[in-house]
Amino acid sequence: MSLLTLKNTIAAALLMSIASLSVAANPELEIKTNQGNITVELFADKAPKTTANFLRYAKDGFYNGTIFHRVIPNFMIQGGGFTPDMKEKATRQPIQNEAPEGSMVGLRNSFGTLAMARTGDPHSATAQFFINVKDNPGLDYPSPDGWGYAVFGKVTKGMEVIMKIRSVATGNAGFHQNVPTTPVVIESVTLVPEKTTEKK
């Protein structure tokens, strides 16, 4: 084999490896709820810190048994922080808001995307997340507060479950508003195994 042929072979192999890495870079997770299952793709390539944070909570089983505690039909559904009796779970330290970086690579709070919930402090997001049930450009960077809400994934399967959840009856629970009157429980959040193609 000539040196040129060897170089071309190595280059092709490297390109194939890079391509396979880019495909595998964005993990898929299944969110099992008592209303049905939702599959989401996380944007590890565009929101790496936020994705890593969410994956760690998922792998630790943190989300198991939490609820979608805030449902606003023409806005979003929010969950991942409270138990069915509206007790807030202890979390790790907040993460940096990646909304500015995400906006530079086209991430928007559009219909079906996942974003991090937070307080008025732009860098206060921990475990809670929300799923946009309409386009919400007012949440995008810079938004009125100069930061916006960091998008880090999208729903790839189970949008009918999202629509079902957004239509549930809600009320007040203490000082919390828009709480489903019947708990919408997140039973588990697990990684979807990567599909492998067997060589024949």
mmCIF file of all heavy atoms in Angstrom, residues 34-64:
data_model
loop_
_atom_site.group_PDB
_atom_site.id
_atom_site.type_symbol
_atom_site.label_atom_id
_atom_site.label_comp_id
_atom_site.label_asym_id
_atom_site.label_seq_id
_atom_site.Cartn_x
_atom_site.Cartn_y
_atom_site.Cartn_z
ATOM 1 N N ASN A 34 -47.195 8.702 34.199
ATOM 2 C CA ASN A 34 -48.447 7.973 34.365
ATOM 3 C C ASN A 34 -49.489 8.381 33.315
ATOM 4 O O ASN A 34 -50.608 7.895 33.323
ATOM 5 C CB ASN A 34 -49.010 8.150 35.783
ATOM 6 C CG ASN A 34 -49.338 9.595 36.123
ATOM 7 O OD1 ASN A 34 -48.976 10.525 35.401
ATOM 8 N ND2 ASN A 34 -50.022 9.794 37.244
ATOM 9 N N GLN A 35 -49.064 9.270 32.388
ATOM 10 C CA GLN A 35 -49.921 9.656 31.270
ATOM 11 C C GLN A 35 -49.427 9.092 29.941
ATOM 12 O O GLN A 35 -50.077 9.261 28.911
ATOM 13 C CB GLN A 35 -49.984 11.188 31.166
ATOM 14 C CG GLN A 35 -50.508 11.883 32.409
ATOM 15 C CD GLN A 35 -51.959 11.556 32.684
ATOM 16 O OE1 GLN A 35 -52.805 11.619 31.795
ATOM 17 N NE2 GLN A 35 -52.252 11.186 33.921
ATOM 18 N N GLY A 36 -48.272 8.428 29.968
ATOM 19 C CA GLY A 36 -47.669 7.896 28.748
ATOM 20 C C GLY A 36 -46.187 8.235 28.707
ATOM 21 O O GLY A 36 -45.663 8.894 29.614
ATOM 22 N N ASN A 37 -45.518 7.779 27.674
ATOM 23 C CA ASN A 37 -44.066 7.936 27.576
ATOM 24 C C ASN A 37 -43.670 9.000 26.559
ATOM 25 O O ASN A 37 -44.306 9.159 25.518
ATOM 26 C CB ASN A 37 -43.410 6.609 27.207
ATOM 27 C CG ASN A 37 -43.669 5.528 28.249
ATOM 28 O OD1 ASN A 37 -43.999 5.837 29.401
ATOM 29 N ND2 ASN A 37 -43.522 4.282 27.859
ATOM 30 N N ILE A 38 -42.585 9.705 26.877
ATOM 31 C CA ILE A 38 -42.055 10.785 26.045
ATOM 32 C C ILE A 38 -40.582 10.503 25.791
ATOM 33 O O ILE A 38 -39.837 10.174 26.717
ATOM 34 C CB ILE A 38 -42.189 12.147 26.770
ATOM 35 C CG1 ILE A 38 -43.641 12.408 27.196
ATOM 36 C CG2 ILE A 38 -41.647 13.283 25.918
ATOM 37 C CD1 ILE A 38 -43.754 13.389 28.359
ATOM 38 N N THR A 39 -40.150 10.628 24.543
ATOM 39 C CA THR A 39 -38.732 10.493 24.219
ATOM 40 C C THR A 39 -38.185 11.866 23.873
ATOM 41 O O THR A 39 -38.814 12.620 23.127
ATOM 42 C CB THR A 39 -38.516 9.532 23.029
ATOM 43 O OG1 THR A 39 -39.087 8.253 23.356
ATOM 44 C CG2 THR A 39 -37.031 9.340 22.740
ATOM 45 N N VAL A 40 -37.025 12.185 24.428
ATOM 46 C CA VAL A 40 -36.402 13.483 24.170
ATOM 47 C C VAL A 40 -34.962 13.292 23.708
ATOM 48 O O VAL A 40 -34.294 12.341 24.095
ATOM 49 C CB VAL A 40 -36.427 14.391 25.424
ATOM 50 C CG1 VAL A 40 -37.853 14.672 25.849
ATOM 51 C CG2 VAL A 40 -35.638 13.783 26.578
ATOM 52 N N GLU A 41 -34.526 14.197 22.855
ATOM 53 C CA GLU A 41 -33.121 14.256 22.449
ATOM 54 C C GLU A 41 -32.493 15.443 23.166
ATOM 55 O O GLU A 41 -33.048 16.545 23.161
ATOM 56 C CB GLU A 41 -32.997 14.461 20.933
ATOM 57 C CG GLU A 41 -31.562 14.663 20.460
ATOM 58 C CD GLU A 41 -31.465 15.157 19.024
ATOM 59 O OE1 GLU A 41 -32.478 15.156 18.307
ATOM 60 O OE2 GLU A 41 -30.353 15.563 18.626
ATOM 61 N N LEU A 42 -31.342 15.243 23.793
ATOM 62 C CA LEU A 42 -30.640 16.322 24.462
ATOM 63 C C LEU A 42 -29.545 16.872 23.553
ATOM 64 O O LEU A 42 -28.843 16.113 22.886
ATOM 65 C CB LEU A 42 -30.020 15.838 25.780
ATOM 66 C CG LEU A 42 -30.977 15.225 26.797
ATOM 67 C CD1 LEU A 42 -30.238 14.959 28.106
ATOM 68 C CD2 LEU A 42 -32.190 16.108 27.045
ATOM 69 N N PHE A 43 -29.402 18.196 23.539
ATOM 70 C CA PHE A 43 -28.445 18.842 22.650
ATOM 71 C C PHE A 43 -27.071 18.953 23.306
ATOM 72 O O PHE A 43 -26.597 20.056 23.636
ATOM 73 C CB PHE A 43 -28.954 20.227 22.256
ATOM 74 C CG PHE A 43 -30.275 20.222 21.535
ATOM 75 C CD1 PHE A 43 -31.207 21.224 21.761
ATOM 76 C CD2 PHE A 43 -30.595 19.220 20.634
ATOM 77 C CE1 PHE A 43 -32.423 21.241 21.104
ATOM 78 C CE2 PHE A 43 -31.817 19.216 19.960
ATOM 79 C CZ PHE A 43 -32.735 20.239 20.196
ATOM 80 N N ALA A 44 -26.410 17.814 23.466
ATOM 81 C CA ALA A 44 -25.071 17.811 24.065
ATOM 82 C C ALA A 44 -24.088 18.616 23.245
ATOM 83 O O ALA A 44 -23.128 19.181 23.772
ATOM 84 C CB ALA A 44 -24.572 16.371 24.214
ATOM 85 N N ASP A 45 -24.332 18.706 21.939
ATOM 86 C CA ASP A 45 -23.435 19.434 21.055
ATOM 87 C C ASP A 45 -23.612 20.949 21.148
ATOM 88 O O ASP A 45 -22.691 21.701 20.854
ATOM 89 C CB ASP A 45 -23.623 18.978 19.601
ATOM 90 C CG ASP A 45 -25.087 19.064 19.138
ATOM 91 O OD1 ASP A 45 -25.993 19.189 19.994
ATOM 92 O OD2 ASP A 45 -25.323 18.994 17.918
ATOM 93 N N LYS A 46 -24.794 21.402 21.585
ATOM 94 C CA LYS A 46 -25.074 22.840 21.613
ATOM 95 C C LYS A 46 -25.272 23.398 23.023
ATOM 96 O O LYS A 46 -25.151 24.604 23.233
ATOM 97 C CB LYS A 46 -26.323 23.142 20.773
ATOM 98 C CG LYS A 46 -26.153 22.823 19.290
ATOM 99 C CD LYS A 46 -27.439 23.096 18.531
ATOM 100 C CE LYS A 46 -27.262 22.801 17.045
ATOM 101 N NZ LYS A 46 -28.509 23.041 16.286
ATOM 102 N N ALA A 47 -25.613 22.543 23.961
ATOM 103 C CA ALA A 47 -25.802 22.965 25.358
ATOM 104 C C ALA A 47 -25.152 21.930 26.275
ATOM 105 O O ALA A 47 -25.827 21.233 27.026
ATOM 106 C CB ALA A 47 -27.297 23.101 25.671
ATOM 107 N N PRO A 48 -23.824 21.800 26.205
ATOM 108 C CA PRO A 48 -23.128 20.707 26.896
ATOM 109 C C PRO A 48 -23.256 20.717 28.415
ATOM 110 O O PRO A 48 -23.448 19.667 29.020
ATOM 111 C CB PRO A 48 -21.669 20.874 26.455
ATOM 112 C CG PRO A 48 -21.551 22.301 26.008
ATOM 113 C CD PRO A 48 -22.890 22.644 25.429
ATOM 114 N N LYS A 49 -23.171 21.885 29.046
ATOM 115 C CA LYS A 49 -23.227 21.939 30.514
ATOM 116 C C LYS A 49 -24.626 21.588 31.016
ATOM 117 O O LYS A 49 -24.790 20.856 31.991
ATOM 118 C CB LYS A 49 -22.825 23.331 31.011
ATOM 119 C CG LYS A 49 -21.377 23.692 30.741
ATOM 120 C CD LYS A 49 -21.081 25.120 31.151
ATOM 121 C CE LYS A 49 -19.657 25.513 30.769
ATOM 122 N NZ LYS A 49 -19.393 26.940 31.044
ATOM 123 N N THR A 50 -25.628 22.124 30.339
ATOM 124 C CA THR A 50 -27.006 21.866 30.751
ATOM 125 C C THR A 50 -27.370 20.405 30.520
ATOM 126 O O THR A 50 -28.036 19.777 31.349
ATOM 127 C CB THR A 50 -27.976 22.793 29.980
ATOM 128 O OG1 THR A 50 -27.483 24.133 30.026
ATOM 129 C CG2 THR A 50 -29.363 22.749 30.576
ATOM 130 N N THR A 51 -26.922 19.858 29.399
ATOM 131 C CA THR A 51 -27.165 18.450 29.101
ATOM 132 C C THR A 51 -26.508 17.552 30.141
ATOM 133 O O THR A 51 -27.127 16.612 30.653
ATOM 134 C CB THR A 51 -26.646 18.093 27.694
ATOM 135 O OG1 THR A 51 -27.423 18.797 26.714
ATOM 136 C CG2 THR A 51 -26.756 16.596 27.423
ATOM 137 N N ALA A 52 -25.255 17.834 30.478
ATOM 138 C CA ALA A 52 -24.539 17.027 31.468
ATOM 139 C C ALA A 52 -25.246 17.078 32.819
ATOM 140 O O ALA A 52 -25.346 16.067 33.524
ATOM 141 C CB ALA A 52 -23.099 17.519 31.599
ATOM 142 N N ASN A 53 -25.742 18.245 33.178
ATOM 143 C CA ASN A 53 -26.475 18.415 34.434
ATOM 144 C C ASN A 53 -27.735 17.550 34.455
ATOM 145 O O ASN A 53 -27.996 16.814 35.416
ATOM 146 C CB ASN A 53 -26.836 19.895 34.600
ATOM 147 C CG ASN A 53 -27.687 20.171 35.825
ATOM 148 O OD1 ASN A 53 -27.231 20.080 36.960
ATOM 149 N ND2 ASN A 53 -28.945 20.520 35.605
ATOM 150 N N PHE A 54 -28.518 17.613 33.374
ATOM 151 C CA PHE A 54 -29.761 16.841 33.290
ATOM 152 C C PHE A 54 -29.467 15.343 33.311
ATOM 153 O O PHE A 54 -30.143 14.566 33.994
ATOM 154 C CB PHE A 54 -30.528 17.211 32.022
ATOM 155 C CG PHE A 54 -31.900 16.616 31.932
ATOM 156 C CD1 PHE A 54 -32.997 17.265 32.484
ATOM 157 C CD2 PHE A 54 -32.120 15.400 31.297
ATOM 158 C CE1 PHE A 54 -34.268 16.726 32.402
ATOM 159 C CE2 PHE A 54 -33.383 14.847 31.209
ATOM 160 C CZ PHE A 54 -34.462 15.513 31.767
ATOM 161 N N LEU A 55 -28.442 14.934 32.566
ATOM 162 C CA LEU A 55 -28.083 13.508 32.517
ATOM 163 C C LEU A 55 -27.681 12.994 33.896
ATOM 164 O O LEU A 55 -28.031 11.869 34.260
ATOM 165 C CB LEU A 55 -26.927 13.292 31.538
ATOM 166 C CG LEU A 55 -27.277 13.230 30.057
ATOM 167 C CD1 LEU A 55 -26.006 13.194 29.218
ATOM 168 C CD2 LEU A 55 -28.157 12.021 29.751
ATOM 169 N N ARG A 56 -26.974 13.805 34.649
ATOM 170 C CA ARG A 56 -26.544 13.357 35.974
ATOM 171 C C ARG A 56 -27.748 13.141 36.888
ATOM 172 O O ARG A 56 -27.824 12.144 37.601
ATOM 173 C CB ARG A 56 -25.575 14.363 36.586
ATOM 174 C CG ARG A 56 -25.007 13.896 37.908
ATOM 175 C CD ARG A 56 -23.938 14.820 38.429
ATOM 176 N NE ARG A 56 -23.616 14.505 39.815
ATOM 177 C CZ ARG A 56 -22.888 15.267 40.603
ATOM 178 N NH1 ARG A 56 -22.384 16.400 40.149
ATOM 179 N NH2 ARG A 56 -22.646 14.923 41.851
ATOM 180 N N TYR A 57 -28.690 14.091 36.861
ATOM 181 C CA TYR A 57 -29.906 13.918 37.655
ATOM 182 C C TYR A 57 -30.659 12.662 37.214
ATOM 183 O O TYR A 57 -31.164 11.903 38.047
ATOM 184 C CB TYR A 57 -30.810 15.149 37.529
ATOM 185 C CG TYR A 57 -30.443 16.295 38.443
ATOM 186 C CD1 TYR A 57 -29.960 17.498 37.922
ATOM 187 C CD2 TYR A 57 -30.575 16.202 39.827
ATOM 188 C CE1 TYR A 57 -29.626 18.563 38.756
ATOM 189 C CE2 TYR A 57 -30.241 17.259 40.663
ATOM 190 C CZ TYR A 57 -29.768 18.435 40.125
ATOM 191 O OH TYR A 57 -29.433 19.479 40.952
ATOM 192 N N ALA A 58 -30.745 12.459 35.903
ATOM 193 C CA ALA A 58 -31.458 11.289 35.385
ATOM 194 C C ALA A 58 -30.776 9.993 35.816
ATOM 195 O O ALA A 58 -31.432 9.052 36.296
ATOM 196 C CB ALA A 58 -31.556 11.359 33.860
ATOM 197 N N LYS A 59 -29.455 9.936 35.664
ATOM 198 C CA LYS A 59 -28.713 8.717 36.012
ATOM 199 C C LYS A 59 -28.753 8.433 37.507
ATOM 200 O O LYS A 59 -28.703 7.279 37.933
ATOM 201 C CB LYS A 59 -27.269 8.831 35.522
ATOM 202 C CG LYS A 59 -27.144 8.741 34.005
ATOM 203 C CD LYS A 59 -25.708 8.943 33.544
ATOM 204 C CE LYS A 59 -25.602 8.825 32.036
ATOM 205 N NZ LYS A 59 -24.228 9.066 31.538
ATOM 206 N N ASP A 60 -28.867 9.492 38.317
ATOM 207 C CA ASP A 60 -28.965 9.321 39.771
ATOM 208 C C ASP A 60 -30.368 8.907 40.228
ATOM 209 O O ASP A 60 -30.580 8.662 41.421
ATOM 210 C CB ASP A 60 -28.586 10.622 40.483
ATOM 211 C CG ASP A 60 -27.088 10.921 40.406
ATOM 212 O OD1 ASP A 60 -26.317 10.015 40.017
ATOM 213 O OD2 ASP A 60 -26.688 12.065 40.725
ATOM 214 N N GLY A 61 -31.326 8.878 39.286
ATOM 215 C CA GLY A 61 -32.702 8.520 39.647
ATOM 216 C C GLY A 61 -33.459 9.649 40.333
ATOM 217 O O GLY A 61 -34.528 9.429 40.913
ATOM 218 N N PHE A 62 -32.911 10.858 40.248
ATOM 219 C CA PHE A 62 -33.512 11.999 40.939
ATOM 220 C C PHE A 62 -34.950 12.255 40.488
ATOM 221 O O PHE A 62 -35.817 12.582 41.308
ATOM 222 C CB PHE A 62 -32.666 13.253 40.690
ATOM 223 C CG PHE A 62 -33.216 14.511 41.317
ATOM 224 C CD1 PHE A 62 -32.842 14.887 42.594
ATOM 225 C CD2 PHE A 62 -34.120 15.320 40.630
ATOM 226 C CE1 PHE A 62 -33.355 16.049 43.176
ATOM 227 C CE2 PHE A 62 -34.633 16.478 41.197
ATOM 228 C CZ PHE A 62 -34.247 16.834 42.476
ATOM 229 N N TYR A 63 -35.204 12.112 39.195
ATOM 230 C CA TYR A 63 -36.518 12.465 38.653
ATOM 231 C C TYR A 63 -37.599 11.412 38.943
ATOM 232 O O TYR A 63 -38.789 11.705 38.826
ATOM 233 C CB TYR A 63 -36.428 12.692 37.149
ATOM 234 C CG TYR A 63 -35.618 13.909 36.773
ATOM 235 C CD1 TYR A 63 -34.484 13.802 35.964
ATOM 236 C CD2 TYR A 63 -35.978 15.177 37.217
ATOM 237 C CE1 TYR A 63 -33.742 14.915 35.616
ATOM 238 C CE2 TYR A 63 -35.234 16.301 36.879
ATOM 239 C CZ TYR A 63 -34.121 16.167 36.072
ATOM 240 O OH TYR A 63 -33.385 17.278 35.736
ATOM 241 N N ASN A 64 -37.175 10.215 39.309
ATOM 242 C CA ASN A 64 -38.140 9.137 39.543
ATOM 243 C C ASN A 64 -39.082 9.497 40.685
ATOM 244 O O ASN A 64 -38.640 9.766 41.799
ATOM 245 C CB ASN A 64 -37.422 7.826 39.862
ATOM 246 C CG ASN A 64 -36.462 7.394 38.757
ATOM 247 O OD1 ASN A 64 -36.396 8.020 37.703
ATOM 248 N ND2 ASN A 64 -35.725 6.331 38.998
#
